[in-house]
Amino acid sequence: MSIVSTSKNVSAAPDPFADFYQKNCVPEAQASGLTKEESRKLCNCTVNTLKSKHTFNDFQNLLSRYRNRDPKAKEILTSYGTACFDKVLGDLLFED
């Protein structure tokens, strides 16, 4: 009987969506004056929308461009955030 050992030290590529959520979206939303809960709601919406529109690799490229201050990448990410902000803010204003 032969046993093949597999290494548990193989690390998966980081998830750019989770990375954006944690390092950019939530901190930037809170810095703009939203509470932590509002920021989480906004960023959940934003990331879910991004996941539906971009592949893993496309988003990784977009995030890299955004962090390198590419104005087009910032415009793209801001457009998703703005749409979600309107939705989240509307939900917060009209909660029972």
Side-chain angles (χ1 to χ4, degrees):
M1 174 165 90
S2 173
I3 299 175
V4 177
S5 174
T6 58
S7 173
K8 300 284 185 190
N9 294 332
V10 176
S11 59
D15 180 349
F17 297 103
D19 188 49
F20 171 73
Y21 179 92
Q22 294 171 348
K23 292 182 181 174
N24 295 101
C25 192
V26 172
E28 290 172 16
Q30 286 184 278
S32 73
L34 296 178
T35 66
K36 191 170 195 171
E37 183 61 25
E38 292 166 343
S39 298
R40 286 181 180 161
K41 286 180 180 183
L42 168 67
C43 293
N44 283 333
C45 172
T46 303
V47 169
N48 287 334
T49 302
L50 287 164
K51 283 182 175 181
S52 74
K53 304 284 183 184
H54 296 276
T55 67
F56 184 91
N57 288 333
D58 288 342
F59 184 69
Q60 199 166 28
N61 182 333
L62 179 64
L63 183 56
S64 177
R65 290 177 26 226
Y66 171 76
R67 290 186 174 155
N68 287 319
R69 303 192 187 280
D70 178 314
K72 182 65 177 170
K74 181 178 180 180
E75 180 184 322
I76 292 167
L77 290 175
T78 301
S79 70
Y80 293 121
T82 300
C84 284
F85 181 80
D86 291 344
K87 179 185 181 322
V88 169
L89 184 61
D91 289 348
L92 292 173
L93 290 175
F94 297 107
E95 283 182 343
D96 291 332

